[in-house]
Amino acid sequence: MELTTVWFALIAVLWVGYFCLEGFDFGVGMLLPVLARDDTERRVMINTVGPVWDGNEVWVLVAGGATFAAFPEWYATLFSGFYLPLLLILVALIVRGLSFEYRHKREETEWKGRWDLALIIGSFVPSLLWGVAFANIVAGVPIDADKEFTGSLFTLLNPFGLLGGLVTLTLFATHGAMFVALKTDGEIRRRARDLAVRIGGVAAVLAVVFLVWTQLKTGTALTAVVFAAAAASLVAGLVSARAGREGWAFVGTFVTIALAVVGLFLGLFPDVMPSNTDPAYSLTTANAAATTYTLKVMTWVAVIFTPIVLGYQAWTYWVFRKRISVRHIPTAVLAGSSDTAS
């Protein structure tokens, strides 16, 4: 197998990891005003992702870095053409990170409310725009002979792209509700489980429409099988949630997101950024790749460090594996303490 194909697959794996892990972080943030009834319950929800959100976010940094190093032409065209959406995502992620760090610094209700709003918006914007971006990448965008994007922001806001955004938005919300149900106890657990089923029904309808549309655009026999498995996994997850089996429900949405991303990358290959101006202008794993020497060096680095990173992240999840509830939240927060440490 050529190294270009290997690195295309590795980048796909990185995006799978990012959407599956950061997806429930986004879902928890978006559902903060829906599931939590008071400040204590909001702190419970924040604490479910507090120890892991920054580690989950690393996946997108590695995916971006790997794209820059392995496929510099892809990186250049993508980040120049999608500059405004990616900038909005970056700002949202920064604001979201600040909300985790600054919410607990003062006890005033207004202060916490503002940072809660920052967390909600910082979760909502990437959830929507990542779907818009990936839908457009798979469907193809206007690229000229110089490998430059010739469209605008409004080019990306087409029906297929917007549907992709709604799919990721609802899937992440469902995934986040499943995670809250898995990680909490008491009344908030019940509310999260019920909400996951309701939002999941909407996500299932949108996802089926989007995946069928994608299949008609770029699909193969293999992508059809993968997309069908993704739909079946989502249904199984919702059935498990209704039965009160939160662990299997979370696995269901996790596998759904993973298979959906895999299917999109399978439909994309061997292109990395198709051109709908002229297929001859499309960026592929061959014409967008770095030198063979660069790919070899990157491969050795990945072989050495990837197991270390995965092991550390797995250990983090193991340490913070237990459920939390309102009884674990102290009634008073000491000055300088953190929500995520309480």
Side-chain angles (χ1 to χ4, degrees):
M1 183 182 295
E2 295 183 0
L3 285 178
T4 53
T5 303
V6 170
W7 273 97
F8 179 86
L10 288 175
I11 290 171
V13 169
L14 290 170
W15 281 108
V16 167
Y18 177 65
F19 284 138
C20 289
L21 297 176
E22 188 84 317
F24 68 74
D25 288 346
F26 290 147
V28 172
M30 288 188 289
L31 297 177
L32 193 66
V34 180
L35 287 176
R37 297 292 186 264
D38 53 34
D39 183 65
T40 302
E41 290 189 347
R42 285 191 287 272
R43 289 171 61 194
V44 168
M45 290 184 64
I46 292 172
N47 282 4
T48 62
V49 297
V52 297
W53 72 269
D54 47 356
N56 295 342
E57 205 166 86
V58 168
W59 286 78
V60 73
L61 300 178
V62 179
T67 303
F68 172 77
F71 300 101
E73 293 284 356
W74 182 13
Y75 182 93
T77 303
L78 176 64
F79 277 76
S80 61
F82 289 44
Y83 179 81
L84 184 55
L86 292 177
L87 177 62
L88 291 174
I89 290 173
L90 177 60
V91 172
L93 292 178
I94 292 172
V95 170
R96 176 172 162 271
L98 290 174
S99 70
F100 284 116
E101 299 298 331
Y102 283 91
R103 182 186 190 276
H104 65 277
K105 297 299 184 181
R106 290 166 57 178
E107 285 303 301
E108 292 89 341
T109 301
E110 186 177 356
W111 171 269
K112 290 186 176 182
R114 288 174 179 172
W115 286 115
D116 288 344
L117 181 61
L119 175 58
I120 296 164
I121 295 174
S123 301
F124 178 89
V125 171
S127 296
L128 178 68
L129 292 184
W130 279 130
V132 172
F134 267 83
N136 278 282
I137 291 173
V138 173
V141 292
I143 299 174
D144 62 17
D146 295 323
K147 300 178 182 177
E148 293 183 358
F149 177 80
T150 58
S152 65
L153 174 63
F154 296 103
T155 304
L156 306 179
L157 300 179
N158 55 75
F160 185 71
L162 292 174
L163 178 59
L166 291 176
V167 169
T168 51
L169 184 72
T170 52
L171 272 182
F172 290 168
T174 305
H175 198 37
M178 297 288 195
F179 185 74
V180 173
L182 178 65
K183 286 289 294 178
T184 62
D185 207 353
E187 185 65 19
I188 192 171
R189 174 185 178 185
R190 182 193 62 79
R191 289 199 299 266
R193 189 172 60 232
D194 293 343
L195 184 61
V197 174
R198 294 198 298 272
I199 299 177
V202 177
V205 173
L206 293 174
V208 168
V209 174
F210 177 74
L211 294 180
V212 170
W213 196 348
T214 304
Q215 180 67 23
L216 294 174
K217 278 180 172 290
T218 63
T220 63
L222 181 57
T223 59
V225 172
V226 173
F227 288 153
S233 179
L234 180 56
V235 172
L238 296 178
V239 171
S240 297
R242 286 183 64 88
R245 305 180 67 179
E246 291 99 346
W248 285 112
F250 180 74
V251 170
T253 52
F254 191 102
V255 173
T256 296
I257 294 171
L259 290 176
V261 177
V262 168
L264 292 179
F265 272 88
L266 286 174
L268 187 61
F269 186 81
D271 292 336
V272 294
M273 205 162 178
S275 170
N276 56 23
T277 302
D278 186 333
Y281 300 156
S282 296
L283 298 177
T284 68
T285 55
N287 65 22
T291 64
T292 302
Y293 177 76
T294 299
L295 295 176
K296 286 181 179 179
V297 172
M298 289 175 58
T299 301
W300 280 110
V301 172
V303 167
I304 295 171
F305 288 101
T306 300
I308 297 174
V309 174
L310 291 177
Y312 173 76
Q313 192 160 25
W315 175 80
T316 303
Y317 276 93
W318 175 256
V319 170
F320 295 100
R321 66 189 182 278
K322 294 184 178 180
R323 293 180 182 271
I324 61 174
S325 66
V326 293
R327 69 178 183 274
H328 297 119
I329 304 297
T331 55
V333 182
L334 297 178
S337 66
S338 171
D339 277 292
T340 58
S342 57

